[in-house]
Amino acid sequence: MGEPCLLLKAALVEQFNTHELLALIQDLEDTMRHMNGAGIAAPQIGVSLRVIIFGQKETDSSNNPRYPDADAVPYTVLINPVLTPIDSEMEDDWEGCLSVPGMRGIVPRYTRLHYTGFDQHGNKIDRLVSGFHARVVQHECDHLDGILYPMRISHLKDFGYSEVFFPNQDIQDE
Ligand code: NI
């Protein structure tokens, strides 16, 4: 948090299947796995492009230790995403961010969402999602518009250190 790249509006990807794009996705995947993130956006590793990845591959045995209660979200590469809330219903829940290490906050997000975009090969992705899946997509897409989750917290009393809010959880270095 504080890096200028995290506050930019990221640029659209114009070409799929390039070496640069595939290498970027590998970097994102390596970083997300290493840090046990639920998702990650390209601006978080200093690349201002509209690329996010999130979720877990079926080969990953356990749930994400940072979000042990969350429903499984399929591993997804999502490029040039467009989000459309299905209705106005929102729900509050805890979030953390690899760019805001050691902190957690309660963030309101749309409960149900339609999203579209493309994978790294240019195949169209079109999904209706809800709950944690919808929350992760909203959090990661915010990174593409220069928004970090603390900017969306309704009450700053709901923002603080992970080890204070969750003293009994083995929260890893974020
Ligand atoms: Ni984040």
Side-chain angles (χ1 to χ4, degrees):
M1 186 162 65
E3 285 287 343
C5 185
L6 288 173
L7 301 174
L8 299 175
K9 188 169 173 64
L12 288 166
V13 170
E14 294 181 352
Q15 280 193 303
F16 296 95
N17 250 333
T18 64
H19 288 300
E20 291 84 354
L21 182 60
L22 299 179
L24 169 63
I25 287 161
Q26 189 63 54
D27 280 352
L28 287 168
E29 190 177 325
D30 292 345
T31 307
M32 181 174 79
R33 278 171 167 273
H34 179 70
M35 301 181 83
N36 286 322
I40 192 168
Q44 294 183 272
I45 60 168
V47 177
S48 192
L49 287 172
R50 303 187 84 75
V51 177
I52 65 176
I53 70 170
F54 54 86
Q56 289 190 289
K57 294 183 173 173
E58 281 178 24
T59 50
D60 293 352
S61 52
S62 60
N63 277 348
N64 188 322
R66 290 184 67 233
Y67 295 92
D69 303 325
D71 296 334
V73 177
Y75 176 77
T76 303
V77 173
L78 187 63
I79 298 171
N80 299 344
V82 176
L83 307 189
T84 311
I86 290 171
D87 53 45
S88 60
E89 186 183 315
M90 302 189 83
E91 59 190 16
D92 287 333
D93 211 340
W94 291 96
E95 292 186 17
C97 179
L98 302 175
S99 299
V100 190
M103 309 291 288
R104 289 293 171 101
I106 296 179
V107 184
R109 299 287 186 188
Y110 289 106
T111 306
R112 285 175 285 274
L113 198 68
H114 176 222
Y115 71 82
T116 60
F118 299 90
D119 72 10
Q120 62 270 50
H121 308 296
N123 301 307
K124 181 114 192 212
I125 294 170
D126 187 324
R127 289 182 181 156
L128 290 172
V129 298
S130 61
F132 185 67
H133 190 152
R135 174 169 297 274
V136 169
V137 177
Q138 289 170 87
H139 176 114
E140 300 311 331
C141 287
D142 266 355
H143 279 299
L144 307 181
D145 292 324
I147 298 167
L148 297 169
Y149 83 84
M151 301 174 187
R152 296 222 184 257
I153 292 173
S154 303
H155 308 286
L156 275 177
K157 68 177 176 57
D158 297 331
F159 183 45
Y161 295 108
S162 309
E163 63 191 37
V164 176
F165 281 129
F166 302 100
N168 299 318
Q169 274 187 26
D170 180 24
I171 290 189
Q172 315 208 341
D173 190 27
E174 295 159 82

